[in-house]
Amino acid sequence: MLAAPPPASLLERLRSLFGGGRRAVDAESRERVMRVFRSRYAHFKDLLDSNAELARILADIDEKIAGCTIFGATWLRSQATRSVFHAMRMVTGLNAISNDAYPTLPAIVERINGEITELLESRPQATVENYALPFTDINGDMVDWVGGKCANLGELTSRVGAPVPRGFAITTRAYYAFMEHGGLMGEIRKRLREVDPQDPESVLDVAEDIQDLFAAASVPPDLADALRAACDEAFGPAGANGKHAEGMGHNLRLAVRSSALSEDSHVSFAGQYLSVLNVGRDNVVDAWKRVVASLFMPQAIVYRLHQGITLDASAMAVACMEMVDSVAAGVLFTRHPVDLLSDSLVINAAWGLGAAVVDGEMEPDTWLFSRENEPRPLSRNVVCKAHRLLPGDDGRLREEDVPEAQRDAPCLTDVQAAALARIGMQVEAHYGVPQDVEWALDTDGRLLLLQARPLTTTPRGDARTTPLIEGYPLLLHGGEPACPGVGCGPVLQPKDAEELAQFPEGGVLVATHSSPSYVLVMQRAQAIVAEAGSITGHMASLAREFGVPTIVNAPGAMAALSVGQQVTVDAFSCRVYAGRVEELLPLREERAVCLRDTPIHNLLKQVAARISPLNLHDPKAADFAPKSCRTIHDVMRFVHELSYAHMFRLSDTVSDAGAVAVEMKAPVPLDLHVIDLGGGLVDVDGPYVWPEQASSAPFKALLEGMLDPAVHQRGPRPVDMSGFLSVMSRHLIEPPTMHGQRFGDRSYALVSDKYLNFSSRVGYHYGVLDAYCGQTMNKNYITFQFKGGAADETRKNRRVRCIGIILEALGFHVEVRGDMVTARFQKFAAAQIAERLVQLGRLLIVTRQLDMLMVDEAAVQRFADNFLHGRYH
């Protein structure tokens, strides 16, 4: 409820200055009053601006909660901060125009801000004290401390009994210690604010800046010592002899691989983070630092945004494993990843390291086995494997020729393939879901598992084939469907990261081989076609996660599909046609972003619970008070509701003083007083002004509509008797009170050359219009609010819904709540702003007694249609 102004308020000081009633004042006194009024009015204007901004923020949050728009933690932090800022600005404005009538409101906003900040700053708490843990001490319940990959390796070691290389996990405690050392995390967050999810170039620029920060960052000495000690514990001290370290000593070679939180969980992060191979024990710390830095490679940043993973939910743990002297390696899928109607297990294998398979750079040997406790072989496809990947001395991979005798030989014997299939089914039985397993065969003939994670598959409904479509040139036929579907667009063949960053919306990406780096543009691409690749590779997994129709292992694609050529890709049957194949286009599926139930979406819901809900509904209720404000929206509602009454009081007082307001003499049914803030009126001499003296562009337009003869009733308006009685009963039951629902009879226009704030009060309702109309289109806007009425709640609601229909038809963004309608029209040319102001002028006149006419639901649309067609009576 509106509090009574305290003693010595501005109103009383003004009254004491001018006495009661209107009288002439000297220039000095007028200017003094004008300064006070302008100061208070500036706060009122700030309040209105922040109210409009908060409304946009609430709408933006509502849109993001739907889960169909990409956003990240940076957006969430920004919107939360802005919502608190604008709420505090509204509170400051209200206290300024009410002479600090609501001293508890700032503390309420601060309390809400504290709750939001606590949510935003929360992160998974690493309860382990160790910087490193051996795999034998880890299980699947420790994912928050060691990440998905290490948790699975520990689970395979300690609970499944599967063969896994020796190694240890570098925990998230080590990650936090490093990131907080020297303020590195704070600097990274600053850079991430510049990322635009829809602009790959901005991602590349930010990623490059962050990599420079990592290059300059130092590792805390105690952390470096702990990692060296972990190597000694896991592999024996340097120079020790033994079965697994014999002859190695300082020559022990390790694989340092990412194990970020959220990795290898419900989302794969396939190929997004770095693995450093062939690492000497003296270089473990540097390799670990490189893997941590890979959190901020361009493709990883984009992937997290699209999957709704916050940075805090992606803390980087790292797996440090003994390198397998790999004769052959590859991937095992315990269910076919594409053809879900096929009840088969898939094994892909290549000579050397498995990166050739998972990165899709080489076509692998393929085995299919039945999905049974004792899998049966179903088929074997052996290909020519001319090259293999081996670890280089610099930690990178090197390619070498496969000896002639081995090129056409299978990488696994039938016995080894069957043994691997059995291990795969054992792992799936333990986890209860199909698995994507990386494996290697060492020189002793041992099969070792390098990682296991849930399998990403296509929906069962995509297991279909399509017929050849006659009448369209067939450019390419062959390959494997990594992600079935149909896409259509121009061909692009990006040669490097810069060209990839400029990939247009709706293009078809064609490449020599698949790559997980293409995740950078998967949301933009209509389809992907790669000459080399595998349905079990990292890019194939990512394509299925993003729903991008993808064909891999399609030789000749680069030559057959020319850059700029319009093509239709049928990734069901692995065909590419020239032009738009209209018969196939209905099979295209809209790929909507879905962030619902992801970590970032859940965090948004928690933060939004402190911002968006509205608990204060009825201004007449006893609990409509500051102490009842539990959210930012509550504060916004309370301040906005009370601000107009205080501003009306202030305007009434300065008008009574005769210092700043002049009375408008015009044939309109309003007691209208005008306050010129500068350049809004011309040739004013005395207490009155006429319409032709208005020089304010928005005020002139509004007056044009209000003075339109067509909107003025000639003779009595036909009034429904039940509506008339409803209005009269309201007058009798609720005596007019300033803090209740009666707003008084004086209306105000605050004007300058390009600005107008118009407050229309007639008894039990008011309308407030705020507008800017100039030559700079981006500054132009109209905000309009209409509230109240003297009839029952149903008729008042019908009236504002009728007004809302009219305003929506005029292009306004409209919100109707109870007996209040709020509308906004912004960033249009001056002529369009003026045209809407003319219509608002007409609307203000014809809707004054509209609640009496709202006799039924049909009247709502009927009156709106009449108004829009120029029939005002």
Side-chain angles (χ1 to χ4, degrees):
M1 306 299 287
L2 178 60
S9 68
L10 171 68
L11 308 183
E12 291 177 345
R13 292 199 302 271
L14 289 171
R15 289 190 181 102
S16 66
L17 177 64
F18 295 109
R22 295 180 59 90
R23 64 181 177 83
V25 295
D26 59 67
E28 182 180 349
S29 297
R30 182 187 297 274
E31 181 55 33
R32 186 164 65 252
V33 173
M34 197 63 175
R35 282 198 303 271
V36 173
F37 182 79
R38 281 176 172 158
S39 172
R40 296 296 171 96
Y41 177 72
H43 284 289
F44 181 59
K45 182 71 165 61
D46 288 345
L47 185 157
L48 293 179
D49 288 344
S50 284
N51 184 79
E53 285 301 315
L54 264 176
R56 283 193 286 271
I57 291 169
L58 292 173
D60 197 12
I61 289 174
D62 285 346
E63 179 187 11
K64 299 299 190 297
I65 283 179
C68 299
T69 307
I70 296 171
F71 65 93
T74 299
W75 172 88
L76 181 51
R77 290 172 187 274
S78 171
Q79 294 298 68
T81 301
R82 291 179 63 227
S83 69
V84 171
F85 167 79
H86 286 295
M88 189 63 81
R89 193 175 180 221
M90 291 184 71
V91 166
T92 301
L94 178 62
N95 277 329
I97 64 176
S98 68
N99 201 34
D100 291 321
Y102 309 97
T104 62
L105 275 176
I108 291 170
V109 176
E110 289 294 354
R111 174 182 55 76
I112 297 170
N113 183 41
E115 294 172 359
I116 293 171
T117 300
E118 184 177 352
L119 287 169
L120 291 174
E121 297 303 325
S122 65
R123 70 184 188 199
Q125 296 300 310
T127 57
V128 294
E129 295 297 323
N130 308 69
Y131 286 139
L133 288 171
F135 288 157
T136 51
D137 291 351
I138 295 171
N139 58 54
D141 299 328
M142 302 172 70
V143 67
D144 284 345
W145 313 323
V146 298
K149 185 173 290 150
C150 289
N152 285 335
L153 287 169
E155 184 81 0
L156 292 171
T157 301
S158 61
R159 291 180 175 173
V160 181
V164 173
R166 295 184 302 165
F168 62 93
I170 304 174
T171 66
T172 53
R173 184 166 184 266
Y175 165 81
Y176 289 127
F178 174 52
M179 297 296 281
E180 291 165 3
H181 182 65
L184 179 59
M185 179 60 88
E187 291 299 317
I188 288 172
R189 290 196 190 279
K190 288 180 186 177
R191 303 305 194 279
L192 289 174
R193 292 182 192 129
E194 305 300 318
V195 169
D196 178 356
Q198 307 302 329
D199 179 10
E201 287 191 87
S202 78
V203 179
L204 290 178
D205 292 341
V206 168
E208 185 177 353
D209 286 348
I210 293 177
Q211 296 305 314
D212 290 340
L213 291 175
F214 272 95
S218 61
V219 177
D222 67 322
L223 173 54
D225 292 342
L227 298 190
R228 296 186 190 101
C231 280
D232 291 344
E233 181 182 349
F235 310 116
N241 292 322
K243 181 176 180 181
H244 296 291
E246 184 177 358
M248 287 186 180
H250 286 289
N251 294 320
L252 174 72
R253 313 312 288 173
L254 303 171
V256 181
R257 309 182 69 190
S258 67
S259 182
L261 302 192
S262 302
E263 187 178 4
D264 294 346
S265 60
H266 66 288
V267 290
S268 70
F269 278 90
Q272 298 310 298
Y273 299 139
L274 188 65
S275 292
V276 185
L277 305 179
N278 215 30
V279 177
R281 71 165 67 227
D282 292 338
N283 295 320
V284 165
V285 175
D286 288 339
W288 170 78
K289 183 178 168 183
R290 287 176 59 193
V291 173
V292 173
S294 73
L295 268 171
F296 305 99
M297 294 195 297
Q299 62 267 29
I301 293 172
V302 169
Y303 185 89
R304 279 197 302 273
L305 285 170
H306 280 271
Q307 297 296 348
I309 308 295
T310 64
L311 177 57
D312 292 328
S314 301
M316 180 63 82
V318 171
C320 188
M321 308 163 61
E322 183 178 7
M323 279 286 294
V324 178
D325 189 3
S326 177
V327 174
V331 181
L332 176 153
F333 281 5
T334 61
R335 179 180 288 279
H336 200 291
V338 177
D339 185 4
L340 298 188
L341 298 181
S342 169
D343 191 27
S344 60
L345 175 152
V346 182
I347 297 173
N348 280 174
W351 295 120
L353 297 175
V357 177
V358 297
D359 288 344
E361 296 183 3
M362 300 178 186
E363 185 182 358
D365 291 344
T366 301
W367 284 260
L368 295 183
F369 279 85
S370 63
R371 286 173 36 80
E372 300 171 304
N373 291 333
E374 287 295 326
R376 293 177 293 103
L378 301 176
S379 67
R380 183 184 72 173
N381 180 44
V382 178
V383 299
C384 178
K385 301 167 289 295
H387 310 285
R388 63 185 173 191
L389 292 179
L390 298 175
D393 294 335
D394 59 355
R396 300 178 185 274
L397 301 180
R398 62 183 177 86
E399 185 178 298
E400 72 171 25
D401 293 339
V402 173
E404 192 76 34
Q406 282 185 275
R407 293 185 178 184
D408 294 316
C411 295
L412 297 172
T413 66
D414 290 340
V415 172
Q416 289 169 331
L420 183 58
R422 283 195 297 274
I423 293 172
M425 293 307 299
Q426 180 186 2
V427 173
E428 180 182 304
H430 177 77
Y431 284 107
V433 294
Q435 295 290 299
D436 170 355
V437 180
E438 291 184 26
W439 59 269
L441 177 71
D442 72 5
T443 53
D444 293 333
R446 294 185 306 157
L447 289 165
L448 297 170
L449 304 190
L450 307 181
Q451 82 176 62
R453 61 186 173 212
L455 172 62
T456 303
T457 63
T458 57
R460 183 171 294 271
D462 280 345
R464 68 178 92 169
T465 58
T466 52
L468 178 67
I469 307 299
E470 301 292 345
Y472 297 91
L474 186 62
L475 303 176
L476 187 70
H477 187 199
E480 296 178 273
C483 180
V486 171
C488 179
V491 170
L492 282 302
Q493 297 179 1
K495 300 181 181 63
D496 51 36
E498 282 191 18
E499 289 191 12
L500 189 64
Q502 296 169 7
F503 194 90
E505 185 79 32
V508 172
L509 194 156
V510 180
T512 53
H513 59 77
S514 61
S515 169
S517 66
Y518 295 152
V519 73
L520 196 64
V521 297
M522 281 187 178
Q523 193 61 32
R524 292 168 165 248
Q526 273 280 309
I528 299 174
V529 181
E531 290 188 333
S534 163
I535 61 172
T536 59
H538 283 334
M539 191 198 77
S541 294
L542 294 168
R544 290 189 287 273
E545 288 184 32
F546 279 75
V548 188
T550 300
I551 302 173
V552 297
N553 193 24
M558 293 287 285
L561 309 177
S562 304
V563 173
Q565 181 181 20
Q566 185 89 356
V567 299
T568 298
V569 177
D570 176 2
F572 290 111
S573 299
C574 296
R575 299 186 182 98
V576 182
Y577 299 88
R580 289 173 57 86
V581 181
E582 298 297 336
E583 291 87 341
L584 290 175
L585 296 186
L587 297 178
R588 284 192 300 182
E589 294 186 2
E590 292 296 325
R591 287 186 282 126
V593 176
C594 186
L595 294 186
R596 284 189 295 276
D597 298 323
T598 62
I600 189 65
H601 189 255
N602 291 332
L603 180 58
L604 169 63
K605 288 191 291 186
Q606 291 176 291
V607 171
R610 275 75 176 176
I611 296 175
S612 299
L614 181 63
N615 305 293
L616 300 187
H617 296 283
D618 184 4
K620 299 187 293 293
D623 63 351
F624 196 86
K627 65 180 181 181
S628 300
C629 292
R630 302 199 296 272
T631 66
I632 294 295
H633 200 171
D634 287 340
V635 173
M636 173 189 175
R637 176 77 170 92
F638 179 83
V639 172
H640 191 251
E641 179 71 27
L642 275 295
S643 64
Y644 287 111
H646 280 292
M647 200 62 197
F648 286 149
R649 282 187 171 184
L650 183 60
S651 299
D652 286 345
T653 302
V654 296
S655 180
D656 287 341
V660 295
V662 291
E663 185 177 347
M664 171 67 71
K665 292 296 185 180
V668 293
L670 297 173
D671 183 10
L672 179 56
H673 295 253
V674 185
I675 299 172
D676 187 4
L677 301 175
L681 298 173
V682 295
D683 302 328
V684 179
D685 183 17
Y688 304 111
V689 70
W690 281 260
E692 55 269 22
Q693 291 176 270
S695 55
S696 166
F699 189 35
K700 286 168 65 177
L702 185 72
L703 284 173
E704 180 183 336
M706 295 175 69
L707 295 170
D708 183 351
V711 300
H712 291 276
Q713 180 74 22
R714 296 178 181 85
R717 179 192 288 268
V719 175
D720 174 77
M721 183 54 65
S722 63
F724 176 75
L725 292 175
S726 173
V727 172
M728 291 305 298
S729 65
R730 176 59 60 91
H731 279 274
L732 294 171
I733 294 170
E734 297 183 14
T737 57
M738 186 61 192
H739 67 276
Q741 286 298 294
R742 186 168 176 83
F743 302 104
D745 295 315
R746 188 174 293 170
S747 300
Y748 291 96
L750 286 70
V751 299
S752 69
D753 57 343
K754 299 171 185 172
Y755 175 74
L756 165 67
N757 181 272
F758 181 79
S759 304
S760 167
R761 293 184 291 172
V762 179
Y764 284 82
H765 71 258
Y766 73 76
V768 177
L769 185 156
D770 201 66
Y772 188 91
C773 183
Q775 295 308 307
T776 306
M777 186 183 300
N778 283 343
K779 290 184 178 181
N780 291 341
Y781 70 89
I782 304 171
T783 59
F784 177 68
Q785 185 178 84
F786 189 96
K787 175 181 172 57
D792 56 73
E793 297 301 323
T794 300
R795 291 171 184 268
K796 288 193 293 185
N797 177 258
R798 285 172 184 165
R799 171 160 67 176
V800 295
R801 284 191 287 118
C802 177
I803 293 172
I805 292 170
I806 292 169
L807 294 177
E808 281 188 345
L810 295 175
F812 284 78
H813 175 75
V814 175
E815 179 184 3
V816 174
R817 184 184 292 120
D819 68 341
M820 181 170 66
V821 59
T822 303
R824 188 168 181 88
F825 184 80
Q826 60 183 346
K827 296 185 179 180
F828 285 91
Q832 293 169 289
I833 295 288
E835 180 184 338
R836 267 61 179 188
L837 287 169
V838 172
Q839 289 282 52
L840 282 173
R842 296 186 178 114
L843 191 61
L844 284 169
I845 298 299
V846 301
T847 58
R848 289 175 59 246
Q849 296 179 329
L850 189 59
D851 45 5
M852 291 191 207
L853 303 180
M854 294 289 104
V855 294
D856 52 31
E857 279 298 308
V860 176
Q861 189 67 52
R862 182 171 63 247
F863 187 89
D865 290 340
N866 286 340
F867 181 92
L868 293 168
H869 288 89
R871 299 189 296 269
Y872 305 116
H873 307 295

